[in-house]
Each structure stands twice: as C-alpha cells, then as structure tokens.
Amino acid sequence: KQEVTQIPAALSVPEGENLVLNCSFTDSAIYNLQWFRQDPGKGLTSLLLIQSSQREQTSGRLNASLDKSSGRSTLYIAASQPGDSATYLCAVSPSGSRLTFGEGTQLTVNP
Amino acid sequence: GAVVSQHPSWVICKSGTSVKIECRSLDFQATTMFWYRQFPKQSLMLMATSNEGSKATYEQGVEKDKFLINHASLTLSTLTVTSAHPEDSSFYICSVLTGGAVSGYTFGSGTRLTVV
C-alpha cells in the first residue's frame, strides 16, 4: 500500500526566505506526482505535475523535483511571500488514476 | 485549464436527513470523477471513483449504501449522504482527471457538511 509522508508538518518563515518542502513515498512505481495548494476551507489548486520520467518542473517561483528511485520529491519556493501561506499537499498516482495524498505541510509566511 | 464546479459550498443538515452534493465539469467531458473526504487537520482520503454510466467503485471501509454516487452524464456526478449523522460532518471534494495523466487533476472547491 502506497504511503506518502510530508515533512515538516508545519513551517513558519519570514517573508523573503527561500524554503523547501519534502515529500516521500513508499512505492516508487508511480505514474506521476502532483503538488497542490489548499487554502483554509477551500478546494485544491494544482501547482506542479511531474511525470515519472521527469526530474523537475518549474512554475514561477516554484520548482518541484522528483527522485523516483529514492521515493522523494521536494517543492522549492523562492522568495516567499505572505500570500504563499497555505497548506501544501503532495500526491502520487500509480497509474494516472487515483491519488494518494500526504498529510500536508502548513506554511505560514510572516510579513 | 479545466473548471470543476462543486455545489453547495457548505451545508448544515439535521441528523437523519440526506444531503446531495453536485460536482460539475464545466468544460471537460469526464468519464471518471473522484470523491474525497477530508477531516479537520487531515489529508484527503479517496472515498470512491465515479464512472459515467456505470456503478461507482468504493474504497474499502466506505459504505456504498450510505454514500450514493450517481454519474449520469459526462459533466455531472452527485454524492448523496443518506441518513447523515454528526460523524459524517466533513469536507467533501470532487476531482476530475483532465486531459489524461499529463494534465493531472482538477479539484472542485469542496463542500463543508455539518450534521447537527
């Protein structure tokens, strides 16, 4: 059974700091990995999708890497802003269908 | 990108009543939709996979007679929580696999259900 772990569970940083969120998964037989953002009481917003054959994806200040063999992914956020405050969820898919989520990292960026 | 609309965004109901939640894919024909549940401070757990024109596939431990799923068209799936109880209070979110695995998933905005 696939298990996804995210570290840290919570993170508080001053504005402008670069930060890294970690995601690990137990079964390396994944089809893709996706990072989401969830604001309190809201749905999920897709940030980055990495196919199993890819090693990283970038969008603006966000960069996600994938090391499938070691079962790890990182989300790098550059020059963090208060508007980045949210819960960040990592999810993996074994076959392009169902997703298994981690429990998320709650990020607070202080002005 | 794809747009998924979920309604209502929140609902309060009395214990023993039923509640229907709608998930609409506004610009994408979805043969498959997914329903998740999220308890406070926890991550999303897949409840069931909704298949257009056929029966839904439920995850282990999810009561199919309690959580009725109907996917009658390529743009609409509904989740009905029957005989709701306070322990059913949760955040329910639907998602659509858009454009195949390349594009990933698009999620609805979620429904906060409170059973009193």
Side-chain angles (χ1 to χ4, degrees):
Chain A
K1 178 185 174 184
Q2 178 73 273
E3 293 183 2
V4 181
T5 304
Q6 289 186 246
I7 295 173
L11 182 62
S12 182
V13 301
E15 182 177 4
E17 191 163 299
N18 302 325
L19 55 99
V20 175
L21 307 181
N22 298 291
C23 171
S24 62
F25 46 95
T26 55
D27 187 346
S28 62
I30 64 169
Y31 195 83
N32 58 39
L33 181 147
Q34 196 163 0
W35 283 92
F36 296 90
R37 167 187 174 138
Q38 185 177 30
D39 292 288
K42 304 293 184 182
L44 275 66
T45 300
S46 178
L47 298 174
L48 290 165
L49 170 72
I50 310 177
Q51 299 294 335
S52 61
S53 59
Q54 299 174 324
R55 293 195 63 85
E56 67 176 342
Q57 284 286 337
T58 298
S59 176
R61 293 183 293 110
L62 304 179
N63 175 277
S65 67
L66 173 64
D67 184 343
K68 202 173 106 170
S69 60
S70 68
R72 295 181 181 181
S73 176
T74 61
L75 178 66
Y76 176 82
I77 302 177
S80 58
Q81 303 170 358
D84 294 332
S85 299
T87 296
Y88 289 81
L89 295 164
C90 163
V92 297
S93 175
S95 58
S97 58
R98 54 186 298 158
L99 287 172
T100 300
F101 283 87
E103 295 197 346
T105 294
Q106 186 173 350
L107 174 65
T108 302
V109 181
N110 302 301
Chain B
V3 179
V4 177
S5 174
Q6 194 170 334
H7 179 81
S9 56
W10 62 270
V11 58
I12 301 174
C13 70
K14 292 185 177 181
S15 186
T17 62
S18 296
V19 174
K20 180 185 285 187
I21 302 170
E22 293 187 348
C23 179
R24 292 183 184 273
S25 177
L26 299 184
D27 54 357
F28 181 80
Q29 292 189 324
T31 55
T32 302
M33 293 186 180
F34 303 88
W35 287 96
Y36 291 83
R37 178 168 55 186
Q38 185 179 35
F39 291 107
K41 302 296 184 182
Q42 295 185 24
S43 192
L44 283 75
M45 296 297 293
L46 180 65
M47 297 176 64
T49 302
S50 169
N51 303 297
E52 188 267 335
S54 64
K55 292 183 179 180
T57 302
Y58 291 82
E59 295 300 301
Q60 189 174 7
V62 178
E63 301 175 58
K64 62 180 182 181
D65 294 331
K66 180 169 185 62
F67 299 99
L68 301 179
I69 292 174
N70 182 280
H71 193 158
S73 77
L74 290 173
T75 59
L76 174 65
S77 175
T78 62
L79 168 67
T80 300
V81 183
T82 63
S83 186
H85 291 283
E87 58 264 31
D88 298 324
S89 297
S90 186
F91 193 57
Y92 294 87
I93 314 177
C94 68
S95 76
V96 172
L97 180 60
T98 54
V102 175
S103 300
Y105 295 81
T106 301
F107 281 77
S109 56
T111 297
R112 170 71 61 191
L113 170 64
T114 302
V115 184
V116 297

